[in-house]
Each structure stands twice: as C-alpha cells, then as structure tokens.
Amino acid sequence: DVEECSEDDGDDDEVYDDVIFPPYALNINAIITKVRNIVRMFRRSPLKSETLKKYINEHLGNNLNLILDCKTRWNSLISMIDRFSTVRKPLCKAMIDINMSIEICERDWQVFKIFYLF
C-alpha cells in the first residue's frame, strides 16, 4: 500500500525536551508540502474528489473532505494534517484507483504521529 522511504534508519535521533525526534522528522516542511500538493490535487479535480469521497464513505461512513490549510493560520495546519491522517486508508485506495503514485511514505506517517504530541 505505502511505499517505504529510502533514507537511512540509523540511530541518529535528536532529543528536544525529552521528546526523541528521528532525523527524518526534522524535515517537516517537505512533508507538509507533499500533503498540500495531494490535497490540492484532490480539491481541483471533481473526478478525483468523488473517487476519494467514495472510499471515505465506505471506510469511515462519513462524508469528510480533505482540508487545505491557510498559511497565515497555524491552527489550520493541524486541521489539515488531522484530516489527512484520518482518511489515510481511503486516500491510499483512491490514489491507486486514479493511478497516482503515493508520495507519502511510512516515515512521513510516523512524523504525523510525532506532530500530535504537541
């Protein structure tokens, strides 16, 4: 389902205030850019959006939409990542259906989990 990142898995973790951040988590801007691009892609195409909605409704039983953040409102970033994480499985299925490569790798999903700590 989800492709693996090709980065090194070494024990080069950094510690900030008793929270251990793996090195790949420190490049959060690149991950956020990936998320924004995927959200924009689904929001711009009615066909892609309908495909995603179908899988969200099947998997979650809700009619949820992806949220695009507003860069001047930091709280909207949290909402975008929260919704993106909530619809992870339907999103991956929709991307397969529309023949899109899945740009978010397993390590990126792990960064989202770290993101929730704050």
Side-chain angles (χ1 to χ4, degrees):
D1 264 37
V2 179
E3 67 184 48
E4 289 294 321
C5 289
S6 60
E7 298 170 10
D8 184 24
D9 272 340
D11 287 334
D12 301 333
D13 298 344
E14 294 192 32
V15 178
Y16 296 96
D17 296 330
D18 297 329
V19 178
I20 298 175
F21 289 96
Y24 56 83
L26 299 177
N27 193 7
I28 190 83
N29 286 334
I31 298 168
I32 291 171
T33 299
K34 287 181 190 179
V35 171
R36 283 185 184 128
N37 289 338
I38 292 170
V39 170
R40 284 185 190 115
M41 177 193 63
F42 277 100
R43 290 178 62 125
R44 287 181 182 157
S45 169
L47 180 62
K48 292 175 184 173
S49 180
E50 285 302 315
T51 302
L52 178 60
K53 284 181 184 181
K54 176 183 81 170
Y55 284 116
I56 289 174
N57 202 10
E58 286 176 11
H59 185 72
L60 301 173
N62 294 355
N63 193 13
L64 301 174
N65 292 317
L66 291 175
I67 297 171
L68 183 62
D69 71 323
C70 175
K71 292 183 182 182
T72 58
R73 298 177 185 228
W74 67 268
N75 205 26
S76 68
L77 176 63
I78 294 169
S79 297
M80 178 180 72
I81 291 175
D82 181 47
R83 180 63 54 85
F84 196 82
S85 296
T86 300
V87 299
R88 176 182 179 176
K89 289 182 182 179
L91 181 68
C92 290
K93 288 180 180 180
M95 290 182 80
I96 290 168
D97 271 9
I98 60 174
N99 295 321
M100 289 286 305
S101 64
I102 301 171
E103 297 176 14
I104 303 293
C105 65
E106 189 59 37
R107 288 188 179 173
D108 296 339
W109 294 109
Q110 295 301 319
V111 170
F112 293 151
K113 289 180 184 177
I114 293 170
F115 198 75
Y116 284 123
L117 294 174
F118 298 99

